Amino acid sequence: MNAATAHEQTFTQWLNDHGAILRQLSRVHAPEPVDAEELYQEMMVQLWRSVPRFAEQAQASTWIYRVCLNTGLTWQRTTRRREARVVPQAESVEAAPSDEQDPADRQERGDLMAALMQAVRSLPPGQRSLIVLALDGLSYREIAEITGMTENNVGVALTRARQNLTEKMKGISHEL
Amino acid sequence: MSFDELQLAWQHDRAAETQPQADANVLRQVRSQSRAFTRQIFWRDVREVLASFLVAGVFGNIAREAQNEGATAWPAWVAAALPVAVGFYFLIDRWIMRRRAAPQGEDLRTELNRAAVEVKHQIWLLRNITWWYLAPLGLATVMLAVQITLYGPENFPLAGKIVIWAVILGTTGWVDRWIWNLNQKAVDTELLPRLAELESRQQELAG
């Protein structure tokens, strides 16, 4: 198998296995759908470019989180001016179709997700990255590996970030 | 609402996210965007050094013509060499910074540190633009004025020489001042806020 084919295969597998991470992270960093799509494309390009540097000793998901979170942190700077013009709208999130068919349940879940997304976005970028990883269910060790922090520091910073998120959630829930 | 409940809602949303598929179209698009990115970086570098090499070419031509006519040409050669030196300095600096750049996939703190070092270097470059860009190019134009006035035709009137000096020095001074102001403004309005932003993110991840 030549290098180009191996490159394509690795990328394809990453996208097929973990593509949803890119979608959700792009929505976290970019409130407007058009911006989220642009960021999603950017994350894909950076991921593609990162394939030759991927060392097998790292887990693919850890690598993908690193590339995408770094892209998100850098990308915000270039769009700040646009964000200043466009006031992010309170998001209406269509609840995911699932086993629960009750429209009231779906609406409730949609409202909760909209509030949560808004609260996460309003966190400072560093805390935002940490809280996203925690919400994804990653362990302290995995978060430490992605962020470069010690596990102890992850614990301390996450406690602060969780408190911050809870406060923001209270405020947003009252608004909704 | 507890964090566990929020986590559950979040993961539910993730599971419902449309799973992208890397088909042939996606691969073609990503490959093309990646190439466009490489091209963009290449042409940005070319644009930035092209001016220096163009000026060097013009001054070098003047030096060559003077030499062919048997006149003294060293000031024009110096005038041609200085922009070349500026261009090479720029290229070497870019090359060093690119080598230092961390590959994608580094952890967030390393990436933030790298980005902060890069921004600090850009600030240093722009704050000191006088020494590595404006002064050499300014000196090059002075050398050109020397070439024209000292080694030009013998019957060239003194008033003409004074006018040439005034025009060259005045224009150079004005353009240099304008470039200097532009770069200091870029430092104050873009780079310093960016550095503050990166440093605040570094602190957030310091634990």
Side-chain angles (χ1 to χ4, degrees):
Chain A
M1 183 167 41
N2 66 30
T5 316
H7 190 139
E8 267 182 25
Q9 278 190 356
T10 307
F11 179 77
T12 304
Q13 193 174 349
W14 284 358
L15 205 59
N16 290 344
D17 294 348
H18 307 283
I21 294 177
L22 276 70
R23 280 267 178 230
Q24 205 176 29
L25 282 180
S26 60
R27 287 201 293 122
V28 165
H29 285 280
E32 296 294 319
V34 64
D35 291 341
E37 183 55 34
E38 191 184 304
L39 178 56
Y40 172 71
Q41 299 289 335
E42 178 66 19
M43 283 176 177
M44 283 215 291
V45 172
Q46 292 305 325
L47 210 53
W48 170 266
R49 295 173 67 83
S50 81
V51 170
R53 298 184 178 116
F54 173 64
E56 293 288 347
Q57 63 264 32
Q59 273 194 344
S61 61
T62 304
W63 184 265
I64 292 164
Y65 272 118
R66 282 176 174 182
V67 172
C68 294
L69 285 171
N70 282 330
T71 308
L73 284 174
T74 318
W75 185 82
Q76 272 195 314
R77 176 174 57 114
T78 57
T79 58
R80 197 197 295 128
R81 266 188 220 101
R82 199 166 18 163
E83 277 181 27
R85 267 192 289 117
V86 181
V87 180
Q89 301 294 311
E91 189 177 6
S92 162
V93 173
E94 181 82 15
S98 67
D99 296 341
E100 58 198 353
Q101 294 298 319
D102 183 354
D105 276 356
R106 287 184 59 184
Q107 182 61 43
E108 196 183 331
R109 200 179 274 278
D111 287 347
L112 171 64
M113 203 47 220
L116 179 56
M117 194 55 101
Q118 203 177 328
V120 169
R121 282 180 193 141
S122 64
L123 291 172
Q127 282 192 6
R128 194 189 306 163
S129 302
L130 285 175
I131 213 77
V132 163
L133 296 170
L135 285 168
D136 278 351
L138 271 66
S139 68
Y140 280 13
R141 192 183 57 75
E142 289 168 315
I143 295 176
E145 215 175 301
I146 292 166
T147 58
M149 299 165 78
T150 64
E151 286 185 46
N152 281 344
N153 281 349
V154 168
V156 174
L158 257 182
T159 307
R160 207 162 38 223
R162 278 196 195 113
Q163 282 169 355
N164 215 345
L165 181 74
T166 314
E167 290 297 316
K168 304 259 182 206
M169 280 298 286
K170 277 182 197 159
I172 293 166
S173 301
H174 287 304
E175 280 172 28
L176 287 173
Chain B
M1 179 165 276
S2 74
F3 189 77
D4 286 346
E5 285 170 299
L6 294 178
Q7 205 177 31
L8 201 66
W10 183 266
Q11 289 174 11
H12 187 273
D13 184 63
R14 161 70 55 81
E17 193 72 66
T18 313
Q19 182 66 37
Q21 292 299 312
D23 57 20
N25 273 339
V26 169
L27 286 176
R28 197 167 39 244
Q29 197 183 354
V30 168
R31 209 180 292 122
S32 131
Q33 282 176 341
S34 176
R35 282 186 195 137
F37 180 78
T38 310
R39 270 200 306 273
Q40 192 188 346
I41 300 287
F42 173 77
W43 286 113
R44 191 192 63 191
D45 286 0
V46 167
R47 248 192 343 262
E48 284 172 348
V49 294
L50 199 63
S52 298
F53 287 118
L54 274 178
V55 171
V58 171
F59 290 0
N61 199 40
I62 291 172
R64 199 175 47 80
E65 279 179 9
Q67 208 163 357
N68 287 345
E69 288 167 10
T72 307
W74 69 264
W77 281 122
V78 172
L82 285 165
V84 172
V86 169
F88 274 114
Y89 174 79
F90 198 84
L91 283 178
I92 290 168
D93 180 73
R94 272 288 154 87
W95 180 72
I96 290 172
M97 287 313 284
R98 209 164 290 158
R99 271 175 65 99
R100 275 190 204 159
Q104 298 99 327
E106 286 291 315
D107 64 64
L108 266 58
R109 283 184 70 190
T110 307
E111 176 68 18
L112 285 172
N113 285 340
R114 186 199 61 76
V117 166
E118 199 178 301
V119 172
K120 278 179 191 166
H121 179 70
Q122 282 173 348
I123 290 173
W124 183 88
L125 275 181
L126 298 193
R127 286 287 191 226
N128 294 288
I129 193 167
T130 305
W131 305 114
W132 66 270
Y133 187 78
L134 297 179
L137 292 186
L139 189 62
T141 50
V142 168
M143 283 295 138
L144 195 71
V146 169
Q147 174 74 38
I148 294 169
T149 54
L150 293 186
Y151 303 107
E154 279 177 15
N155 57 353
F156 204 84
L158 179 66
K161 291 178 180 180
I162 292 171
V163 169
I164 287 174
W165 269 92
V167 168
I168 287 180
L169 291 183
T171 311
T172 304
W174 185 83
V175 170
D176 282 2
R177 181 77 193 166
W178 178 69
I179 293 174
W180 188 85
N181 278 337
L182 213 63
N183 283 281
Q184 301 320 303
K185 196 177 165 197
V187 170
D188 294 334
T189 59
E190 289 173 30
L191 295 177
L192 286 177
R194 172 63 177 157
L195 183 61
E197 188 179 88
L198 288 169
E199 284 174 344
S200 109
R201 286 174 193 187
Q202 281 178 306
Q203 279 170 8
E204 284 164 30
L205 292 180

